[in-house]
Amino acid sequence: MVDVEGWLRHRTWFAVALSSEINGGAVHRAELFDDRLVVFRESSGAPVVLGARCPHMGADLGLGEVVGDTIRCTFHHFCFGADGRCASVPSGERVPPAAHVPSFPAVERWGLVWAFNGEEPEGEPPGIRGYDDTGLVVRARRTDVFPVEPWVILGNSFDFQHLRYVHGLRFEDPDPITWNEDGTVEYDVPFDSDEIGSFAQRIRVSGTNTVSYVTSGAVDSMGLFTSTPCATGSQSYYLAATSRDGDAEAIEARLAFQEVVADSLLVDDIRAFTGMDFREGAFVSADRHLVQWFRHARNFPVFAR
Ligand code: FES
Ligand SMILES: [Fe+2]
């Protein structure tokens, strides 16, 4: 069992749905930490992310229906708009002042709906280093649930020992690692491996839960991995991305190849995380970047509603 209640509620962007899950008026039920959320689209197509506990009697708004620009509770038909306020009650009475739910800043990017854990969004949802949204074809999917906090999973990006011993890569620790003012962290690293050959990666870590990479050399690929804390652990999403070069078949082949590579790497990571009881432990000097990351995560701003 994971103790989500004690997890750090970082003020950052979290993926809460695949774009495809809210198309055609569909309503998606999501979780962020131990809160239930409801995700849907307004008539303009803009995504809306609200707390899902109906303030009338506690029904799950995720079981409601989209009506106009609102989500209508399945029980007594109170309707809630993007600002979280109750827009109408079916009896036509005055709306009680307490009839509102938390509203999360929401943005759709890369085939995912992102919610910001805070009153006002800071920056944009994570991107792929060196690319804007228009230059790429992307495919997002939901992957595994890990029993540790997202920032512990993201520690893998600074855990250079595990890249050697779990993934069998040969390389020098990246230098420099740039800890940017906006909270992102970037580095470049050339790798060599018996299985894959030589390749280089441009890494960017955003928030405490997302890493994007651009790989060149023996494998050309781009991707983004992000995790969202929920009641059962960290729900992870993987996004494969590629250029628009070539016909649909060529694009499909590249996306599929990236997913296979990502899955094969994840198999080894999943084994390490399964059943893990995380505590910061007996670090050695080879862990210094990992230790710095954990310090970064512990000092990262938090937001609790
Ligand atoms: S519980 Fe939602 S309207 Fe009554
Ligand atoms: Fe790994």
Side-chain angles (χ1 to χ4, degrees), residues 133-149:
D133 304 39
T134 54
L136 299 175
V137 184
V138 300
R139 187 159 69 202
R141 64 193 166 108
R142 194 174 283 115
T143 62
D144 308 279
V145 176
F146 295 92
V148 291
E149 298 184 58

Side-chain angles (χ1 to χ4, degrees), residues 16-48:
V16 292
L18 303 173
S19 294
S20 56
E21 289 173 318
I22 54 167
N23 288 343
V27 178
H28 179 69
R29 301 168 79 194
E31 290 174 356
L32 186 60
F33 300 101
D34 40 9
D35 294 321
R36 275 183 295 170
L37 306 183
V38 56
V39 189
F40 63 98
R41 288 187 197 281
E42 288 187 319
S43 50
S44 68
V48 178

Side-chain angles (χ1 to χ4, degrees), residues 54-59 61 73-78 80:
C54 179
H56 181 223
M57 282 175 55
L61 294 177
C73 181
T74 194
F75 203 174
H76 312 94
H77 287 195
F78 283 30
F80 300 86

Side-chain angles (χ1 to χ4, degrees), residues 19-304:
S19 294
S20 56
E21 289 173 318
I22 54 167
N23 288 343
V27 178
H28 179 69
R29 301 168 79 194
E31 290 174 356
L32 186 60
F33 300 101
D34 40 9
D35 294 321
R36 275 183 295 170
L37 306 183
V38 56
V39 189
F40 63 98
R41 288 187 197 281
E42 288 187 319
S43 50
S44 68
V48 178
V49 180
L50 302 176
R53 187 190 171 281
C54 179
H56 181 223
M57 282 175 55
D60 185 347
L61 294 177
L63 299 174
E65 222 177 289
V66 178
V67 176
D69 287 338
T70 68
I71 182 84
R72 185 178 72 185
C73 181
T74 194
F75 203 174
H76 312 94
H77 287 195
F78 283 30
C79 293
F80 300 86
D83 60 1
R85 307 217 151 267
C86 179
S88 64
V89 296
S91 61
E93 287 171 84
R94 196 177 65 85
V95 173
H100 57 84
V101 293
S103 162
F104 293 76
V107 171
E108 192 168 4
R109 191 175 196 195
W110 312 107
L112 292 167
V113 178
W114 300 82
F116 187 79
N117 186 44
E119 294 290 355
E120 294 296 331
E122 288 156 27
E124 294 178 348
I128 293 179
R129 194 173 154 199
Y131 291 86
D132 65 25
D133 304 39
T134 54
L136 299 175
V137 184
V138 300
R139 187 159 69 202
R141 64 193 166 108
R142 194 174 283 115
T143 62
D144 308 279
V145 176
F146 295 92
V148 291
E149 298 184 58
W151 57 271
V152 178
I153 303 171
L154 260 285
N156 270 5
S157 298
F158 301 92
D159 183 349
F160 300 117
Q161 298 207 79
H162 109 285
L163 293 180
R164 294 187 177 98
Y165 309 128
V166 174
H167 300 301
L169 300 173
R170 292 185 293 274
F171 61 100
E172 299 292 326
D173 282 7
D175 184 21
I177 295 176
T178 309
W179 301 76
N180 295 311
E181 285 289 309
D182 65 0
T184 60
V185 191
E186 296 177 331
Y187 62 83
D188 299 345
V189 60
F191 291 109
D192 194 37
S193 111
D194 292 339
E195 273 174 39
I196 308 174
S198 297
F199 62 99
Q201 282 199 319
R202 291 164 60 75
I203 303 286
R204 180 198 281 152
V205 171
S206 308
T208 55
N209 58 325
T210 303
V211 58
S212 81
Y213 62 85
V214 178
T215 306
S216 54
V219 278
D220 279 307
S221 64
M222 280 170 259
L224 183 148
F225 173 88
T226 189
S227 291
T228 302
C230 59
T232 49
S234 289
Q235 173 66 65
S236 299
Y237 294 80
Y238 176 72
L239 183 102
T242 188
S243 71
R244 295 184 181 280
D245 297 345
D247 58 16
E249 207 175 311
I251 288 172
E252 167 59 33
R254 291 200 301 272
L255 290 174
F257 173 72
Q258 282 158 225
E259 288 174 348
V260 169
V261 172
D263 283 346
S264 73
L265 287 174
L266 271 175
V267 164
D268 296 331
D269 286 321
I270 288 166
R271 186 174 166 78
F273 282 119
T274 300
M276 187 176 180
D277 177 14
F278 173 74
R279 269 166 249 177
E280 287 182 53
F283 291 120
V284 295
S285 75
D287 290 317
R288 63 191 179 283
H289 300 295
L290 183 60
V291 169
Q292 189 173 357
W293 167 255
F294 286 147
R295 197 180 311 130
H296 174 82
R298 292 207 178 281
N299 291 332
F300 201 90
V302 293
F303 178 80

